[in-house]
Amino acid sequence: MLTIRDAEADDLAAIVALYAADTLGGHGDAWTDGNEAHYRAALAAITAAPGTSLHVAVEDGDIVGVFQLVSFVTLAGRGARRAKLASVQVRADRRSRGIGAWMIGQAEDIARRQGVALIELSSSRLRHDAHRFYDRLGYERGHEGFRKRL
């Protein structure tokens, strides 16, 4: 049985393991003594930020997925509320079992309850399987994304 809940500090090692296993993500994530304080501070900041949440999918007591949701109001669209879905991961040994689609549905439900009119996500150009997955879930390809490291 799958459940969704807000991430807690005790979940951090499992969450970071999901990110570390992502060969395309390349964020250099690793749960080490030197990194633990950074992840704890990040979770505290996420928890404290209005409209920002980190969720874990739990199956039989194991964390099998994670996603972050950030909702915000835009001036465009007459003050419409939007959400950014980010950092979506499903544990490799649990993929292709519907967990990802279920998690996205949970994220959409949370966003609807927050009054969100549009949910957006970005995905690396290299993630062809993920693109087909999001297409199947009804997501449309939209804007070209840009980023700059500071």
Side-chain angles (χ1 to χ4, degrees), residues 51-106:
T52 303
S53 54
L54 185 68
H55 303 272
V56 291
V58 180
E59 183 178 45
D60 299 325
D62 292 330
I63 292 175
V64 297
V66 63
F67 66 86
Q68 186 168 348
L69 192 63
V70 180
S71 69
F72 52 95
V73 175
T74 62
L75 190 60
R78 296 171 304 283
R81 180 169 287 280
R82 293 182 178 208
K84 170 84 173 178
L85 180 59
S87 303
V88 178
Q89 289 288 336
V90 173
R91 211 168 78 186
D93 65 334
R94 305 287 178 100
R95 291 186 187 140
S96 298
R97 294 181 41 205
I99 293 172
W102 178 83
M103 284 183 4
I104 299 300
Q106 295 296 306

Side-chain angles (χ1 to χ4, degrees), residues 3-4 11 40 50 122:
T3 58
I4 196 84
D11 301 329
R40 291 192 184 283
S122 60

Side-chain angles (χ1 to χ4, degrees), residues 8-70:
E8 301 170 352
D10 289 344
D11 301 329
L12 284 171
I15 294 169
V16 172
L18 290 173
Y19 295 145
D22 180 7
T23 57
L24 288 177
H27 297 288
D29 288 296
W31 186 257
T32 65
D33 290 341
N35 290 343
E36 183 177 344
H38 296 286
Y39 292 114
R40 291 192 184 283
L43 180 60
I46 290 166
T47 302
T52 303
S53 54
L54 185 68
H55 303 272
V56 291
V58 180
E59 183 178 45
D60 299 325
D62 292 330
I63 292 175
V64 297
V66 63
F67 66 86
Q68 186 168 348
L69 192 63
V70 180

